[in-house]
Amino acid sequence: MFDTHELGRRPGALQKLSRTVAAPAAPAVFGVEGVIGVPEGAPVELELRLESVMEGVLVTGTARATAEGECVRCLEPLRHEVVADFQEMFSYPDADDRGRAKEPEPGDDAEGEDVIFIEDGLFDLEPVLRDAVVLALPMQPVCREDCAGLCSECGADLNAEQPDHHHDAVDIRWAALQGLADSLGTGEKDKKSGDAPRSARVDEKQEK
């Protein structure tokens, strides 16, 4: 939570803040689950500018953090520095003459769905931060731009293999014919090996 009491609801009043917060746990994760994100409890550095306007407080800021994930090509762990800019309006609730919040008028729900209100002079920045950080993260993270990935045939890491790593391609259209040729070759060998004893017997009879 951030306090706006120092601004005093004076339009034009300005406040600058530098703060470090911890990344939240699930379900409010700063990232894409199973792909990349800022680990729970990791520091998130904030530079904020709070400006009081007639409607509320306009918050402009930058978030910096280190995300961790897995390369989509080679599956190795990686770290990614995140810089996310954001801006959000936090509105003052309508108040009556005694400063109490008024009940919303019928039909106002649809118009106020995207409005974030300041409550008791405080506003919660976490949902805004989460959206900003997630949008700043790569959806297809790689350990480096020229990562070669894994071999589709054997799964070897091509970054660690020799440049000439390859597998002999087999044309599936000829695979059946190759199998038939191999079986015929084996049959010929068996036939020849079976003829040898008969030739030997013929030679013996001739000698007699």
Side-chain angles (χ1 to χ4, degrees):
M1 288 289 186
F2 289 82
D3 195 337
T4 66
H5 286 98
E6 188 173 322
L7 296 174
R9 296 192 67 162
R10 300 185 305 273
L14 184 67
Q15 184 180 9
K16 293 184 178 181
L17 299 174
S18 295
R19 187 176 298 183
T20 300
V21 299
V29 179
F30 284 6
V32 181
E33 187 175 358
V35 180
I36 189 170
V38 180
E40 176 186 349
V44 181
E45 298 178 0
L46 302 176
E47 294 291 336
L48 303 176
R49 172 191 170 98
L50 281 58
E51 183 178 1
S52 179
V53 295
M54 292 295 296
E55 299 84 357
V57 176
L58 180 64
V59 179
T60 305
T62 300
R64 291 180 173 84
T66 301
E68 297 179 1
E70 188 178 81
C71 178
V72 296
R73 297 178 186 172
C74 67
L75 307 182
E76 288 295 319
L78 61 80
R79 294 166 67 88
H80 179 79
E81 298 302 319
V82 185
V83 179
D85 296 322
F86 56 89
Q87 186 175 73
E88 188 67 46
M89 170 66 77
F90 292 86
S91 301
Y92 295 126
D94 293 334
D96 59 19
D97 294 338
R98 290 176 290 181
R100 293 178 301 188
K102 290 182 178 180
E103 292 295 328
E105 296 292 334
D108 287 348
D109 292 344
E111 296 180 2
E113 285 181 354
D114 297 330
V115 178
I116 306 176
F117 289 105
I118 296 173
E119 299 181 6
D120 298 326
L122 304 174
F123 65 86
D124 184 7
L125 194 60
E126 184 176 287
V128 177
L129 278 178
R130 181 176 64 249
D131 292 344
V133 171
V134 170
L135 288 175
L137 290 171
M139 294 297 100
Q140 297 287 323
V142 291
C143 58
R144 64 174 191 260
E145 290 300 324
D146 61 345
C147 175
L150 302 178
C151 175
S152 60
E153 295 290 333
C154 65
D157 186 352
L158 297 179
N159 297 306
E161 293 292 334
Q162 297 297 324
D164 60 349
H165 177 83
H166 71 283
H167 297 273
D168 293 333
V170 177
D171 193 331
I172 59 174
R173 294 173 298 180
W174 296 101
L177 291 177
Q178 182 62 46
L180 178 60
D182 292 342
S183 63
L184 290 175
T186 302
E188 290 294 331
K189 290 180 181 179
D190 292 342
K191 183 178 179 181
K192 290 180 179 179
S193 61
D195 289 345
R198 288 196 296 270
S199 298
R201 287 196 296 271
V202 171
D203 292 339
E204 290 178 0
K205 289 179 180 180
Q206 291 176 349
E207 290 177 359
K208 290 180 181 180

Coordinates of all heavy atoms in Angstrom, one line a residue, residues 51-126:
E51 N 1.3 12.4 -8.6 CA 0.9 13.7 -8.9 C -0.6 13.8 -8.6 O -1.4 13.1 -9.1 CB 1.1 14.1 -10.3 CG 0.7 15.5 -10.7 CD 1.0 15.8 -12.2 OE1 1.5 14.9 -12.9 OE2 0.8 16.9 -12.6
S52 N -1.0 14.8 -7.7 CA -2.4 15.0 -7.3 C -3.1 15.8 -8.4 O -2.6 16.8 -8.9 CB -2.4 15.8 -6.0 OG -3.8 16.0 -5.7
V53 N -4.2 15.3 -8.9 CA -5.1 16.0 -9.9 C -6.5 16.0 -9.3 O -6.8 15.5 -8.2 CB -5.0 15.2 -11.2 CG1 -3.7 15.2 -11.8 CG2 -5.5 13.8 -11.1
M54 N -7.4 16.7 -10.0 CA -8.7 16.8 -9.5 C -9.4 15.5 -9.2 O -10.1 15.4 -8.2 CB -9.6 17.6 -10.5 CG -9.2 19.1 -10.7 SD -9.4 20.0 -9.1 CE -11.2 20.0 -9.0
E55 N -9.2 14.5 -10.1 CA -9.9 13.2 -10.0 C -9.3 12.3 -9.0 O -9.9 11.4 -8.5 CB -10.0 12.5 -11.3 CG -10.7 13.3 -12.4 CD -9.8 14.3 -13.1 OE1 -8.6 14.4 -12.7 OE2 -10.3 15.0 -14.0
G56 N -8.0 12.5 -8.7 CA -7.3 11.6 -7.8 C -5.8 11.8 -7.8 O -5.3 12.9 -7.8
V57 N -5.1 10.6 -7.9 CA -3.6 10.7 -7.9 C -3.1 9.9 -9.1 O -3.5 8.7 -9.3 CB -3.0 10.1 -6.6 CG1 -1.5 10.0 -6.7 CG2 -3.4 10.8 -5.4
L58 N -2.4 10.6 -10.0 CA -1.8 10.0 -11.2 C -0.4 9.4 -10.8 O 0.5 10.2 -10.4 CB -1.7 11.0 -12.3 CG -1.1 10.5 -13.6 CD1 -2.0 9.4 -14.2 CD2 -0.8 11.6 -14.6
V59 N -0.2 8.1 -10.9 CA 1.0 7.5 -10.6 C 1.7 7.0 -11.8 O 1.2 6.3 -12.7 CB 0.7 6.2 -9.7 CG1 2.1 5.5 -9.3 CG2 0.0 6.6 -8.4
T60 N 3.0 7.5 -12.0 CA 3.8 7.2 -13.1 C 5.1 6.6 -12.5 O 5.7 7.1 -11.6 CB 4.2 8.4 -13.9 OG1 3.0 9.1 -14.4 CG2 5.0 8.0 -15.2
G61 N 5.5 5.5 -13.1 CA 6.7 4.8 -12.5 C 7.4 3.8 -13.4 O 7.0 3.5 -14.5
T62 N 8.5 3.3 -12.9 CA 9.3 2.3 -13.5 C 9.7 1.2 -12.5 O 10.1 1.5 -11.4 CB 10.6 2.9 -14.1 OG1 10.3 3.9 -15.0 CG2 11.5 1.8 -14.8
A63 N 9.5 0.0 -12.9 CA 9.9 -1.2 -12.1 C 11.0 -1.9 -12.7 O 11.1 -2.1 -13.9 CB 8.7 -2.1 -11.9
R64 N 12.0 -2.3 -11.8 CA 13.2 -3.1 -12.3 C 13.3 -4.3 -11.4 O 13.2 -4.2 -10.2 CB 14.4 -2.2 -12.2 CG 14.5 -1.1 -13.2 CD 15.8 -0.3 -13.1 NE 15.9 0.7 -14.2 CZ 15.4 1.9 -14.2 NH1 14.7 2.3 -13.1 NH2 15.5 2.7 -15.2
A65 N 13.5 -5.4 -12.1 CA 13.6 -6.7 -11.4 C 14.4 -7.7 -12.3 O 14.6 -7.5 -13.5 CB 12.3 -7.3 -11.0
T66 N 14.7 -8.8 -11.7 CA 15.4 -9.9 -12.4 C 14.5 -11.1 -12.5 O 14.1 -11.7 -11.5 CB 16.7 -10.3 -11.8 OG1 17.6 -9.2 -11.7 CG2 17.4 -11.4 -12.6
A67 N 14.1 -11.5 -13.7 CA 13.2 -12.7 -13.9 C 14.1 -13.9 -14.2 O 15.2 -13.8 -14.7 CB 12.3 -12.4 -15.0
E68 N 13.5 -15.0 -13.8 CA 14.2 -16.3 -14.1 C 13.3 -17.2 -14.9 O 12.0 -17.2 -14.7 CB 14.6 -17.0 -12.8 CG 15.6 -16.2 -11.9 CD 15.9 -16.9 -10.6 OE1 15.4 -18.0 -10.4 OE2 16.7 -16.3 -9.9
G69 N 13.8 -18.0 -15.8 CA 13.0 -18.9 -16.6 C 13.9 -20.0 -17.3 O 14.9 -20.3 -16.8
E70 N 13.4 -20.5 -18.4 CA 14.0 -21.5 -19.1 C 14.0 -21.2 -20.6 O 13.0 -20.7 -21.1 CB 13.2 -22.8 -18.9 CG 13.9 -24.1 -19.4 CD 13.1 -25.3 -19.1 OE1 12.1 -25.6 -19.8 OE2 13.4 -26.0 -18.1
C71 N 15.2 -21.4 -21.2 CA 15.3 -21.1 -22.7 C 14.4 -22.0 -23.4 O 14.4 -23.3 -23.2 CB 16.7 -21.3 -23.1 SG 17.0 -21.0 -24.9
V72 N 13.6 -21.5 -24.3 CA 12.6 -22.3 -25.1 C 13.3 -23.1 -26.2 O 12.7 -24.0 -26.7 CB 11.6 -21.4 -25.8 CG1 10.7 -20.7 -24.7 CG2 12.2 -20.4 -26.7
R73 N 14.6 -22.9 -26.4 CA 15.3 -23.6 -27.5 C 16.2 -24.8 -26.9 O 16.1 -25.9 -27.3 CB 16.2 -22.7 -28.3 CG 15.5 -21.6 -29.0 CD 16.4 -20.7 -29.8 NE 15.7 -19.6 -30.4 CZ 16.3 -18.6 -31.0 NH1 17.7 -18.5 -31.0 NH2 15.6 -17.6 -31.6
C74 N 17.0 -24.4 -25.9 CA 17.9 -25.4 -25.3 C 17.5 -25.9 -23.9 O 18.1 -26.8 -23.3 CB 19.3 -24.9 -25.3 SG 19.6 -23.6 -24.1
L75 N 16.4 -25.3 -23.3 CA 15.9 -25.7 -22.0 C 16.8 -25.4 -20.9 O 16.6 -25.9 -19.8 CB 15.5 -27.1 -22.0 CG 14.6 -27.6 -23.1 CD1 14.2 -29.1 -23.0 CD2 13.3 -26.7 -23.2
E76 N 17.9 -24.6 -21.1 CA 18.8 -24.2 -20.0 C 18.2 -23.0 -19.2 O 17.5 -22.2 -19.7 CB 20.1 -23.8 -20.6 CG 21.0 -24.9 -21.1 CD 21.4 -25.9 -20.1 OE1 21.8 -25.5 -19.0 OE2 21.3 -27.1 -20.3
P77 N 18.5 -23.0 -17.9 CA 18.0 -21.9 -17.1 C 18.6 -20.5 -17.6 O 19.7 -20.5 -18.1 CB 18.6 -22.2 -15.7 CG 18.9 -23.7 -15.7 CD 19.3 -24.0 -17.1
L78 N 17.8 -19.5 -17.4 CA 18.2 -18.2 -17.8 C 17.7 -17.1 -16.9 O 16.8 -17.3 -16.1 CB 17.8 -17.9 -19.2 CG 16.2 -17.8 -19.5 CD1 15.6 -16.5 -19.1 CD2 16.0 -18.1 -21.0
R79 N 18.4 -15.9 -16.9 CA 18.0 -14.8 -16.1 C 17.8 -13.6 -17.1 O 18.5 -13.5 -18.1 CB 19.1 -14.4 -15.1 CG 19.2 -15.5 -14.0 CD 20.5 -15.3 -13.2 NE 20.4 -14.0 -12.4 CZ 19.9 -14.0 -11.2 NH1 19.4 -15.1 -10.6 NH2 19.9 -12.8 -10.5
H80 N 16.7 -12.8 -16.8 CA 16.4 -11.7 -17.7 C 16.1 -10.5 -16.9 O 15.3 -10.5 -16.0 CB 15.2 -12.1 -18.5 CG 14.7 -11.0 -19.5 ND1 15.3 -10.8 -20.7 CD2 13.7 -10.1 -19.4 CE1 14.7 -9.8 -21.3 NE2 13.7 -9.4 -20.5
E81 N 16.8 -9.4 -17.2 CA 16.6 -8.1 -16.5 C 15.3 -7.4 -17.1 O 15.2 -7.2 -18.3 CB 17.8 -7.2 -16.7 CG 19.1 -7.8 -16.1 CD 18.9 -8.1 -14.6 OE1 18.3 -7.3 -13.9 OE2 19.4 -9.1 -14.2
V82 N 14.4 -7.1 -16.2 CA 13.1 -6.5 -16.6 C 13.1 -5.1 -16.2 O 13.4 -4.7 -15.1 CB 11.9 -7.3 -15.9 CG1 10.6 -6.7 -16.4 CG2 12.0 -8.8 -16.1
V83 N 12.6 -4.3 -17.2 CA 12.4 -2.8 -17.0 C 11.0 -2.6 -17.5 O 10.7 -2.7 -18.7 CB 13.4 -1.9 -17.6 CG1 13.1 -0.5 -17.4 CG2 14.8 -2.2 -17.2
A84 N 10.1 -2.2 -16.6 CA 8.7 -2.0 -17.0 C 8.2 -0.6 -16.6 O 8.3 -0.3 -15.4 CB 7.8 -3.1 -16.3
D85 N 7.7 0.1 -17.5 CA 7.2 1.4 -17.3 C 5.6 1.3 -17.2 O 5.0 0.5 -17.9 CB 7.5 2.4 -18.4 CG 9.0 2.6 -18.5 OD1 9.7 2.7 -17.4 OD2 9.6 2.7 -19.6
F86 N 5.0 2.2 -16.3 CA 3.6 2.1 -16.2 C 3.1 3.5 -15.7 O 3.8 4.3 -15.2 CB 3.2 1.1 -15.1 CG 3.9 1.2 -13.8 CD1 3.3 2.0 -12.8 CD2 5.1 0.7 -13.5 CE1 3.9 2.2 -11.6 CE2 5.7 0.8 -12.3 CZ 5.1 1.6 -11.3
Q87 N 1.8 3.7 -15.9 CA 1.1 4.9 -15.5 C -0.4 4.5 -15.2 O -1.0 3.8 -16.0 CB 1.1 6.0 -16.5 CG 0.5 7.3 -16.0 CD 0.7 8.4 -17.1 OE1 0.0 8.4 -18.1 NE2 1.6 9.3 -16.8
E88 N -0.9 4.9 -14.0 CA -2.2 4.6 -13.6 C -2.8 5.7 -12.8 O -2.2 6.4 -12.0 CB -2.2 3.3 -12.8 CG -3.5 2.7 -12.4 CD -4.3 2.2 -13.7 OE1 -3.6 1.5 -14.5 OE2 -5.5 2.6 -13.8
M89 N -4.1 5.9 -13.0 CA -4.9 6.9 -12.2 C -5.6 6.2 -11.1 O -6.4 5.2 -11.3 CB -5.9 7.6 -13.1 CG -6.9 8.5 -12.4 SD -6.1 9.9 -11.6 CE -5.9 10.9 -13.0
F90 N -5.4 6.6 -9.9 CA -6.1 6.2 -8.7 C -7.1 7.3 -8.3 O -6.6 8.4 -7.9 CB -5.1 5.8 -7.6 CG -4.3 4.6 -7.9 CD1 -3.1 4.8 -8.6 CD2 -4.6 3.4 -7.5 CE1 -2.3 3.7 -8.9 CE2 -3.8 2.3 -7.8 CZ -2.6 2.4 -8.5
S91 N -8.4 7.0 -8.4 CA -9.4 8.0 -8.2 C -9.8 8.2 -6.8 O -9.9 7.2 -6.0 CB -10.6 7.7 -9.1 OG -10.2 7.6 -10.4
Y92 N -10.2 9.4 -6.4 CA -10.8 9.7 -5.1 C -12.3 9.2 -5.2 O -12.9 9.5 -6.2 CB -10.8 11.2 -4.8 CG -9.4 11.7 -4.5 CD1 -9.0 12.8 -5.3 CD2 -8.5 11.2 -3.6 CE1 -7.7 13.4 -5.1 CE2 -7.3 11.7 -3.4 CZ -6.9 12.8 -4.1 OH -5.6 13.4 -3.9
P93 N -12.8 8.5 -4.2 CA -14.2 8.2 -4.2 C -15.0 9.5 -4.0 O -14.6 10.4 -3.3 CB -14.3 7.2 -3.0 CG -13.2 7.6 -2.1 CD -12.1 8.0 -3.0
D94 N -16.2 9.5 -4.6 CA -17.1 10.6 -4.4 C -17.4 10.7 -2.9 O -17.7 9.7 -2.3 CB -18.4 10.5 -5.2 CG -18.1 10.6 -6.7 OD1 -17.1 11.2 -7.1 OD2 -18.8 10.0 -7.5
A95 N -17.4 11.9 -2.4 CA -17.7 12.1 -1.0 C -18.8 13.1 -0.8 O -19.0 14.1 -1.5 CB -16.4 12.6 -0.2
D96 N -19.6 12.9 0.3 CA -20.6 13.9 0.7 C -20.1 15.0 1.5 O -18.8 15.1 1.6 CB -21.8 13.2 1.4 CG -21.3 12.5 2.7 OD1 -20.2 12.9 3.2 OD2 -22.0 11.7 3.3
D97 N -20.9 15.9 2.0 CA -20.4 17.1 2.7 C -19.6 16.7 3.9 O -18.8 17.6 4.4 CB -21.6 18.0 3.1 CG -22.3 18.5 1.8 OD1 -21.6 18.6 0.8 OD2 -23.5 18.9 1.9
R98 N -19.8 15.5 4.5 CA -19.1 15.1 5.7 C -17.9 14.3 5.4 O -17.3 13.7 6.3 CB -20.1 14.4 6.6 CG -21.1 15.4 7.2 CD -22.1 14.6 8.1 NE -23.0 13.7 7.3 CZ -23.9 13.0 7.8 NH1 -24.1 13.0 9.1 NH2 -24.7 12.2 7.0
G99 N -17.5 14.2 4.1 CA -16.3 13.5 3.7 C -16.4 12.0 3.6 O -15.5 11.2 3.5
R100 N -17.7 11.4 3.7 CA -17.9 10.0 3.6 C -18.1 9.6 2.2 O -18.7 10.3 1.4 CB -19.0 9.6 4.5 CG -18.8 9.8 6.0 CD -20.0 9.4 6.8 NE -21.1 10.2 6.5 CZ -22.3 10.1 7.1 NH1 -22.4 9.3 8.2 NH2 -23.3 10.8 6.8
A101 N -17.7 8.4 1.8 CA -17.9 7.9 0.5 C -19.4 7.7 0.2 O -20.1 7.1 1.0 CB -17.1 6.6 0.3
K102 N -19.8 8.1 -1.0 CA -21.2 7.9 -1.4 C -21.4 6.5 -2.0 O -20.5 5.9 -2.5 CB -21.6 9.0 -2.4 CG -21.7 10.4 -1.9 CD -22.2 11.3 -3.0 CE -22.4 12.7 -2.5 NZ -22.8 13.6 -3.6
E103 N -22.6 6.0 -1.9 CA -22.9 4.8 -2.5 C -23.0 5.0 -4.0 O -23.5 6.0 -4.5 CB -24.3 4.2 -2.0 CG -24.2 3.8 -0.5 CD -23.3 2.6 -0.3 OE1 -23.2 1.8 -1.2 OE2 -22.7 2.6 0.7
P104 N -22.5 4.1 -4.8 CA -22.6 4.3 -6.3 C -24.1 4.3 -6.8 O -24.9 3.6 -6.3 CB -21.9 3.0 -6.9 CG -22.0 2.0 -5.8 CD -21.9 2.8 -4.5
E105 N -24.3 5.1 -7.8 CA -25.6 5.2 -8.4 C -25.9 4.0 -9.2 O -25.0 3.4 -9.8 CB -25.7 6.5 -9.2 CG -25.6 7.8 -8.5 CD -26.8 8.0 -7.5 OE1 -27.9 7.5 -7.8 OE2 -26.6 8.7 -6.5
P106 N -27.2 3.6 -9.3 CA -27.6 2.5 -10.2 C -27.1 2.7 -11.6 O -27.3 3.8 -12.1 CB -29.1 2.4 -10.1 CG -29.4 3.1 -8.7 CD -28.4 4.1 -8.6
G107 N -26.5 1.7 -12.2 CA -26.1 1.8 -13.6 C -24.7 2.3 -13.7 O -24.1 2.4 -14.8
D108 N -24.0 2.6 -12.6 CA -22.6 3.1 -12.6 C -21.6 2.0 -12.7 O -20.4 2.2 -12.9 CB -22.3 4.0 -11.4 CG -23.0 5.4 -11.6 OD1 -23.5 5.7 -12.7 OD2 -23.1 6.1 -10.6
D109 N -22.0 0.8 -12.4 CA -21.1 -0.4 -12.3 C -20.3 -0.6 -13.6 O -19.1 -0.7 -13.5 CB -21.8 -1.7 -11.9 CG -22.4 -1.6 -10.5 OD1 -21.9 -0.7 -9.8 OD2 -23.2 -2.4 -10.2
A110 N -20.9 -0.5 -14.7 CA -20.3 -0.8 -16.0 C -19.2 0.3 -16.3 O -18.1 0.0 -16.8 CB -21.3 -0.9 -17.1
E111 N -19.6 1.6 -15.9 CA -18.7 2.6 -16.2 C -17.5 2.6 -15.3 O -16.4 3.1 -15.6 CB -19.4 4.0 -16.1 CG -20.5 4.2 -17.1 CD -21.2 5.5 -16.9 OE1 -20.8 6.2 -16.0 OE2 -22.2 5.7 -17.7
G112 N -17.6 2.1 -14.1 CA -16.5 2.1 -13.1 C -15.7 0.9 -13.0 O -15.0 0.7 -12.0
E113 N -15.9 -0.1 -13.9 CA -15.2 -1.3 -13.8 C -13.7 -1.1 -13.8 O -12.9 -1.9 -13.2 CB -15.6 -2.3 -15.0 CG -17.0 -2.9 -14.8 CD -17.3 -3.8 -16.0 OE1 -16.5 -3.8 -17.0 OE2 -18.4 -4.4 -16.0
D114 N -13.1 -0.2 -14.6 CA -11.7 0.0 -14.8 C -11.2 1.1 -13.8 O -10.0 1.4 -13.9 CB -11.4 0.4 -16.2 CG -11.7 -0.7 -17.2 OD1 -11.7 -1.9 -16.8 OD2 -12.1 -0.4 -18.3
V115 N -12.0 1.6 -13.0 CA -11.6 2.6 -12.0 C -11.0 2.0 -10.8 O -11.6 1.1 -10.2 CB -12.8 3.6 -11.7 CG1 -12.3 4.6 -10.7 CG2 -13.3 4.2 -12.9
I116 N -9.8 2.5 -10.4 CA -9.2 2.0 -9.1 C -9.3 3.1 -8.1 O -8.8 4.2 -8.4 CB -7.7 1.6 -9.4 CG1 -7.6 0.6 -10.5 CG2 -7.1 1.0 -8.1 CD1 -6.2 0.2 -10.9
F117 N -9.9 2.9 -7.0 CA -10.1 3.9 -6.0 C -9.1 4.0 -4.9 O -8.5 2.9 -4.6 CB -11.5 3.8 -5.4 CG -12.6 4.0 -6.3 CD1 -13.4 3.0 -6.8 CD2 -13.0 5.4 -6.7 CE1 -14.5 3.3 -7.7 CE2 -14.0 5.6 -7.5 CZ -14.8 4.6 -8.0
I118 N -8.9 5.2 -4.4 CA -8.0 5.3 -3.2 C -8.9 5.1 -2.0 O -10.0 5.7 -2.0 CB -7.4 6.8 -3.2 CG1 -6.5 7.0 -4.4 CG2 -6.7 7.0 -1.9 CD1 -6.0 8.4 -4.6
E119 N -8.5 4.3 -1.1 CA -9.3 4.0 0.1 C -8.5 4.5 1.3 O -7.4 4.1 1.6 CB -9.6 2.5 0.2 CG -10.4 2.0 -1.0 CD -10.7 0.5 -0.8 OE1 -10.3 -0.1 0.2 OE2 -11.2 -0.1 -1.8
D120 N -9.2 5.4 2.1 CA -8.5 6.0 3.3 C -7.2 6.6 3.0 O -6.2 6.5 3.8 CB -8.4 4.9 4.4 CG -9.8 4.4 4.8 OD1 -10.8 5.2 4.8 OD2 -9.9 3.2 5.1
G121 N -7.0 7.2 1.8 CA -5.8 7.8 1.4 C -4.7 6.8 1.0 O -3.5 7.2 0.7
L122 N -5.0 5.5 0.8 CA -4.1 4.5 0.4 C -4.5 3.9 -0.9 O -5.7 3.8 -1.2 CB -4.0 3.4 1.5 CG -3.6 3.8 2.9 CD1 -3.7 2.6 3.8 CD2 -2.2 4.4 3.0
F123 N -3.5 3.4 -1.7 CA -3.8 2.7 -2.9 C -2.8 1.5 -3.0 O -1.7 1.5 -2.6 CB -3.7 3.6 -4.2 CG -2.3 4.1 -4.5 CD1 -1.4 3.4 -5.2 CD2 -1.9 5.4 -4.0 CE1 -0.1 3.8 -5.5 CE2 -0.6 5.9 -4.3 CZ 0.3 5.1 -5.0
D124 N -3.3 0.5 -3.7 CA -2.6 -0.8 -3.9 C -2.0 -0.8 -5.3 O -2.8 -0.9 -6.2 CB -3.5 -2.0 -3.6 CG -2.8 -3.3 -3.7 OD1 -1.5 -3.3 -3.8 OD2 -3.4 -4.4 -3.7
L125 N -0.7 -0.9 -5.4 CA 0.0 -0.8 -6.7 C 0.2 -2.2 -7.3 O 0.6 -2.3 -8.4 CB 1.3 -0.1 -6.5 CG 2.0 0.4 -7.8 CD1 1.1 1.3 -8.6 CD2 3.4 1.1 -7.5
E126 N 0.0 -3.2 -6.5 CA 0.4 -4.6 -6.9 C -0.2 -5.0 -8.2 O 0.5 -5.5 -9.1 CB 0.1 -5.6 -5.8 CG 0.6 -7.0 -6.2 CD 0.3 -8.0 -5.0 OE1 1.1 -7.9 -4.0 OE2 -0.6 -8.8 -5.1

